[in-house]
Amino acid sequence: MFTPEKTDISIGFMPLSDCAPLVVAEKLGFFQQNNLNVQLVRQNSWATLRDKLLAGYLDMAQMLAPMPLAMHLGLGSSAQDMTVPMILSYNGNGITLSNALFAEVQQAGDESAAQLLSEPLSAQRLSIIAKERRSQGQKKLCFAAVFPYSCHYYQLVSWLQQGGLSADDVDIRIIPPSGMVQALAENEIDGFCVGSPWNAAAVRAGIGATVIASCEIWHNTPEKVLGLTRAWQAQHPQSLFAVIDALKKACQWLASKPNRFEAARWLAEPEYVGSSLDSVAPALLDSCLTTEGVDCREIKGHTLFQVPQKLNQPTPEQGIWLLQQMQRSQHLPRDTDLHQVIRQVYTTERYDDAPR
Amino acid sequence: MAQDDHSQPLCVLLIDDDPQRATELSAALDKSRYQVKHMLGAEVSLLKQVDTLQPDVIIIDIESPSRDILDSLHTLNSFNPKPIVMFSEQEDTNTINQSVHSGVSAYVARDVSTTRVRAIMDAAVARFQQMQSLRNQLQETQQELASRKIIEKAKGLLMENRNLSEKEAYQVIRKMAMDNGLRMDQVAKNMIDIITTLSV
C-alpha cells in the first residue's frame, strides 16, 4: 500500500499525443489505486507550465526532456534544483515542409512525391535550395520549433546539419504547437518540427508533407519526462513513488498497439488534446502520414512509452547527450560541467521497487 | 531612472482574447504615457507585429499559447527583449513574482483594479530597465576583460617575436589601431592570427 504524504497532486501537461501516460493512468484509475487524487491540469504554453511549477501552483509536470536541465541551470528562468525521476515517452516528433517547399525539393530531382516520401528525406535536398536563396539574396528558409529548450529544436538542427546546413543557413523561430498548422498554411514558415497530432493535422489539411520522423534523426531518445523540483521530491518521497508507479503501469499498458488506439480515443477528447482522432491516432499506431494522395509510411517505434531494458529509467548517458545537443546550439556555455549537472538532476534512485 | 522618462509616450502591445478587458485596460491607461494597441492571442503573426510596432511594453495573458513566442524573445538572441507584463488567473501574484524570474517583468492578477494598472506598468518598465542596465554593465565588463586579455597576449607575442619591451609592444598596437581606425583589441586579434599562422 502507498502512504503518500500528500494525496492531492496537480500535474501539468500540454495537449499533445504523448501526454498519453497521464491520461491512461487517470482513465484506468491507476492514480486512485495508489491512494492519490491527481488533477491533470492542461497548459497552453511551456513557459507558463514552467513558471507555475516554479511558483508551486503545479506539483509536477510533463516536460520537454531538455526543460528541467535548462531550469536547473537557470536558462530562461531563475535557477531551481530539479529532478527527473522518469522518462514518459521516447521519439514521436516529425518534420513537415510546406507544399511549396516540398514542390521545390521535388523539382530539384526527378523522383515522384511517392518515391521521395517512401523513405526519410535527407536535408541535403534542402541545402541546394537554401544556398541558392542565399546567393540570390532571397529570404532564408524559415523553420519553427515549439520551444528553445526542446528536442524539436535540436532535432531540427541535427537534421539540417546531417544535410550539410548550419543553423545559420535558416531562420528558426518559436511557435506553439497549436499555431504550427496555421503558420504553415499562411506561408509564415516553410516547415516545422513538432509532435503529434500536428504533423498529421497539417497533412490532413492538405498543406504540407511530413518528410522524416524524429526517431529517424535520433534513435530512441527521451522526448517528454516527468519533472519536479528537488525540494518537492524531498518533502514527498512516498507521493512521488505512488505517482511513478501509476505512470509506469500506464506506460506498460501503452506497450500494446490495440491499447494505444483506445488511448487515442481518450486523447481526442476536448479536455485532453482536443483534436480529431484521425490526427491523434496515426503517430501512436506507428503510422506517419506523408502528404495528400501519397501512402502513409510505417515507422516502427514512432512513439514509444517504454524502451527495452531501461523502460522508463532516466540514464546519465541520455542526460549528457541532451546537454551536448544544447551546447551544440550554443544554449549552454562551453565550460559547463555536464556530468555534475546530470548527477544532480537525473535521479540515481530507482523507482522499480515501489513499496506495497 | 530619470523623472523625465515619464513624459515619453510608450507603445503597449496587448495580446488578449478578451475584448472587454482590452477596452477596460485601454480606458485605464487613457491620457497616460501608454498607448495601447490590441491584438488577439491566437494570431500567429505575433513576431511580425512585434517587429513592425516595436512596442515598448507587451501585456499578455498567462494562458495565451503565444506566451512561448514571447519567451523566445529572451532566449534566442536574434530579438531585442521587451518588458513583459502578464495577466495571471491567481489572485495572489506575490508568490509567482517572487519565485519566478523568467523574461516576465511583472505578473498581475487578472481582475486588477484599473486604478492600479498605471502604477504596475510604471514599476514593470522601471524594473525591466534596471535589469537591462545591469545586463549591459555585465556585458561591458566581460567585453573589457576579454579585450584586455587579447591585448596582453598580442603584446607577449610581439615582445617574443620582435624583441620589444612591453611599452614598445603596447605602442605598436596602439599606433596601428589609430592609423587604421580600429579598436586596440581588434588590432591585437589580427596580430595574434597573423603571428600564429606564420609560426605554424
Side-chain angles (χ1 to χ4, degrees):
Chain A
M1 270 307 270
F2 286 95
T3 47
E5 298 86 355
K6 181 181 183 195
T7 50
D8 289 338
I9 291 176
S10 59
I11 308 182
F13 75 99
M14 285 286 277
L16 298 161
S17 303
D18 52 18
C19 72
L22 299 168
V23 174
V24 166
E26 180 174 83
K27 287 276 185 186
L28 295 179
F30 294 158
F31 290 130
Q32 225 175 1
Q33 284 165 25
N34 287 357
N35 301 325
L36 294 170
N37 174 29
V38 167
Q39 200 196 350
L40 299 182
V41 199
R42 187 165 74 168
Q43 303 300 313
N44 296 314
S45 74
W46 290 110
T48 291
L49 175 141
R50 175 198 63 205
D51 290 359
K52 286 184 179 173
L53 188 94
L54 290 176
Y57 301 139
L58 295 171
D59 293 308
M60 49 187 89
Q62 166 213 27
M63 286 186 179
L64 297 158
M67 256 179 104
L69 299 170
M71 290 163 78
H72 190 83
L73 289 160
L75 302 172
S77 68
S78 51
Q80 174 75 256
D81 285 347
M82 296 292 294
T83 186
V84 171
M86 179 181 179
I87 310 287
L88 293 174
S89 66
Y90 300 81
N91 312 333
N93 303 328
I95 294 177
T96 296
L97 307 182
S98 69
N99 282 344
L101 180 56
F102 183 67
E104 265 188 80
V105 170
Q106 233 184 300
Q107 277 159 17
D110 54 1
E111 289 126 305
S112 68
Q115 278 170 320
L116 266 180
L117 292 171
S118 65
E119 51 184 51
L121 185 82
S122 159
Q124 250 172 339
R125 305 261 188 175
L126 286 189
S127 80
I128 307 156
I129 297 169
K131 280 169 189 161
E132 237 174 51
R133 287 205 184 190
R134 200 173 43 190
S135 69
Q136 290 170 4
Q138 287 170 330
K139 217 174 92 198
K140 283 185 194 175
L141 287 176
C142 181
F143 287 89
V146 298
F147 196 66
Y149 311 116
S150 67
C151 293
H152 312 70
Y153 189 97
Y154 305 123
Q155 281 159 353
L156 189 58
V157 170
S158 280
W159 181 64
L160 293 169
Q161 283 176 344
Q162 285 163 15
L165 280 166
S166 84
D168 295 332
D169 291 326
V170 300
D171 275 328
I172 302 181
R173 58 180 50 182
I174 303 303
I175 292 179
S178 56
M180 290 286 187
V181 174
Q182 196 190 343
L184 196 69
E186 291 175 3
N187 286 319
E188 189 121 335
I189 50 175
D190 301 300
F192 57 62
C193 184
V194 76
S196 174
W198 301 107
N199 289 297
V203 175
R204 295 271 186 227
I207 58 160
T210 302
V211 295
I212 191 166
S214 67
C215 63
E216 296 167 321
I217 306 171
W218 296 358
H219 180 68
N220 288 3
T221 50
E223 168 56 33
K224 302 291 184 328
V225 298
L226 187 67
L228 62 151
T229 64
R230 269 222 174 277
W232 201 98
Q233 181 193 33
Q235 280 162 24
H236 316 92
Q238 292 301 316
S239 298
L240 184 56
F241 258 121
V243 169
I244 288 173
D245 181 76
L247 289 173
K248 279 190 167 174
K249 276 188 202 142
C251 289
Q252 183 65 48
W253 189 85
L254 283 162
S256 136
K257 206 185 267 191
N259 285 350
R260 290 206 293 277
F261 182 77
E262 298 307 303
R265 294 181 58 225
W266 292 329
L267 287 165
E269 292 172 12
E271 64 265 46
Y272 301 117
V273 179
S275 289
S276 64
L277 184 62
D278 66 0
S279 297
V280 174
L284 295 175
L285 303 177
D286 290 345
S287 166
C288 174
L289 305 192
T290 53
T291 197
E292 212 169 37
V294 175
D295 285 349
C296 301
R297 198 152 64 87
E298 182 176 11
I299 299 175
K300 292 219 166 70
H302 185 290
T303 311
L304 292 173
F305 298 98
Q306 279 186 338
V307 289
Q309 279 116 40
K310 284 173 264 177
L311 304 175
N312 300 91
Q313 175 71 27
T315 68
E317 295 75 35
Q318 293 164 338
I320 296 284
W321 194 80
L322 282 170
L323 287 172
Q324 285 168 341
Q325 305 312 307
M326 296 170 79
Q327 233 167 11
R328 270 172 72 181
S329 286
Q330 279 107 48
H331 287 171
L332 269 193
R334 283 255 154 253
D335 55 359
T336 311
D337 186 344
L338 306 188
H339 289 272
Q340 198 195 337
V341 174
I342 292 306
R343 268 199 302 277
Q344 289 164 346
V345 181
Y346 274 42
T347 182
T348 47
E349 202 166 348
R350 291 187 65 94
Y351 286 90
D352 292 349
D353 312 306
R356 303 225 161 231
Chain B
M1 277 291 120
Q3 201 61 33
D4 297 351
D5 280 355
H6 282 270
S7 54
Q8 214 184 335
L10 294 176
C11 169
V12 178
L13 177 61
L14 170 67
I15 303 153
D16 197 340
D17 284 330
D18 181 348
Q20 199 197 330
R21 188 165 58 188
T23 316
E24 280 169 18
L25 192 87
S26 304
L29 291 174
D30 189 34
K31 296 199 187 97
S32 73
R33 61 173 174 153
Y34 299 103
Q35 291 158 3
V36 181
K37 297 230 161 59
H38 175 233
M39 71 181 281
L40 295 175
E43 288 175 33
V44 272
S45 54
L46 176 59
L47 280 185
K48 225 189 269 169
Q49 284 279 359
V50 171
D51 220 38
T52 24
L53 277 178
Q54 289 294 330
D56 300 294
V57 188
I58 299 171
I59 307 182
I60 186 171
D61 184 350
I62 195 170
E63 295 303 332
S64 166
S66 299
R67 164 86 203 273
D68 281 337
I69 304 180
L70 289 185
D71 211 62
S72 69
L73 297 185
H74 290 259
T75 41
L76 301 182
N77 41 19
S78 42
F79 297 103
N80 282 331
K82 313 269 180 203
I84 293 172
V85 175
M86 199 163 289
F87 282 119
S88 157
E89 78 271 37
Q90 261 81 22
E91 276 168 33
D92 166 31
T93 50
N94 280 340
T95 324
I96 196 158
N97 270 318
Q98 275 163 17
S99 55
V100 178
H101 297 282
S102 51
V104 178
S105 303
Y107 289 89
V108 297
R110 189 161 287 180
D111 50 1
V112 64
S113 74
T114 45
T115 48
R116 283 187 54 223
V117 168
R118 209 177 295 191
I120 288 169
M121 298 282 287
D122 287 344
V125 171
R127 183 171 171 218
F128 176 81
Q129 283 169 342
Q130 212 176 15
M131 291 297 290
Q132 275 307 102
S133 91
L134 275 178
R135 211 170 290 157
N136 290 345
Q137 271 173 26
L138 182 70
Q139 238 167 23
E140 273 166 31
T141 317
Q142 282 170 341
Q143 175 83 38
E144 204 182 300
L145 265 176
S147 23
R148 239 186 254 174
K149 262 192 204 162
I150 292 174
I151 296 169
E152 282 301 313
K153 191 175 172 193
K155 251 172 32 181
L157 284 173
L158 279 178
M159 287 156 69
E160 207 176 291
N161 285 271
R162 299 263 195 96
N163 233 349
L164 299 177
S165 72
E166 191 181 345
K167 198 175 168 190
E168 286 166 334
Y170 182 81
Q171 278 164 349
V172 168
I173 301 172
R174 199 171 73 153
K175 179 162 190 314
M176 202 177 273
M178 280 163 66
D179 291 349
N180 294 294
L182 291 170
R183 288 199 319 268
M184 278 183 73
D185 61 320
Q186 291 171 316
V187 170
K189 196 184 168 298
N190 292 343
M191 277 184 176
I192 295 169
D193 287 346
I194 293 167
I195 295 175
T196 42
T197 320
L198 290 179
S199 57
V200 165

